[in-house]
Amino acid sequence: MRHRLRGIAMVLLGAVLLGAPGLALGSWYGGRGIVPLSFERATGIAAELLPQAELAGMRLERGFGYGVFLAPDDFGSSRATFQYGIPRADCALSDQLRSNAASKGWPTPHRVSGGPCDGWRTEADGLDVTLTHRDTVSTLISTET
C-alpha cells in the first residue's frame, strides 16, 4: 500500500514539475506575433460604421484582457472607445450602425439590450464592435478578439 501511494505521489509531482514550464512556454508562444489594434484601424472602423456621427471623445487602451487592464509588458488585446451624443445618448446611431454594417459587408449585427435604446454588436476580422447607449452617452467599443 505504501509503495503504491509513493508511486502516485511521484506521478503527480512529475506532472506538476513538467506542466508548469509547459504552460509558461505555451503562453509565451501563443502571444508571439500579436499586433495591437492601431489608432488608424480603430478610427477607420468607427468612420466606416458611423460616418455621419459627431465624435465627442476617443480613448485607445492597450493591454486589455478579460475586463482587466494589463501591465505595459503583458500581452493582451487592445480596446478603442468612441463616445457620441454627449450630453444625451443618440439612439439614431443604432440604425446607422446596422445599415452601414450591412452595406459594408460586416456580419449581421446582434441586438444589445439596455439603456434608453438598444445597441448592436458585430464581429469581423478579429474585432468585436459594440454600440451601447446610456442616458448621457452613446459608446462604440472596438475590441480585438
Side-chain angles (χ1 to χ4, degrees):
M1 178 79 164
R2 185 176 218 158
H3 179 67
R4 186 175 191 190
L5 190 56
R6 184 178 296 156
I8 292 173
M10 294 304 286
V11 167
L12 290 175
L13 181 64
V16 168
L17 291 176
L18 293 176
L23 286 172
L25 183 63
S27 176
W28 169 79
Y29 185 75
R32 292 182 43 198
I34 292 177
V35 177
L37 180 64
S38 69
F39 177 78
E40 292 80 19
R41 184 173 182 204
T43 54
I45 290 167
E48 179 180 340
L49 294 177
L50 298 173
Q52 294 91 11
E54 184 177 336
L55 185 63
M58 187 263 184
R59 182 173 66 209
L60 182 64
E61 302 155 349
R62 300 211 188 277
F64 181 83
Y66 304 108
V68 177
F69 295 102
L70 304 174
D73 58 343
D74 284 340
F75 288 109
S77 62
S78 299
R79 179 173 81 166
T81 304
F82 300 89
Q83 295 178 333
Y84 303 93
I86 295 174
R88 67 182 194 291
D90 187 358
C91 293
L93 293 176
S94 288
D95 294 330
Q96 188 181 3
L97 181 126
R98 192 169 43 122
S99 64
N100 287 335
S103 67
K104 302 289 184 182
W106 285 72
T108 304
H110 304 283
R111 186 179 304 273
V112 176
S113 302
C117 46
D118 291 340
W120 294 93
R121 177 185 167 277
T122 186
E123 186 176 332
D125 298 327
L127 286 176
D128 179 44
V129 179
T130 306
L131 176 68
T132 57
H133 303 281
R134 285 185 261 140
D135 291 335
T136 58
V137 67
S138 297
T139 306
L140 179 74
I141 298 175
S142 299
T143 308
E144 294 175 317
T145 54

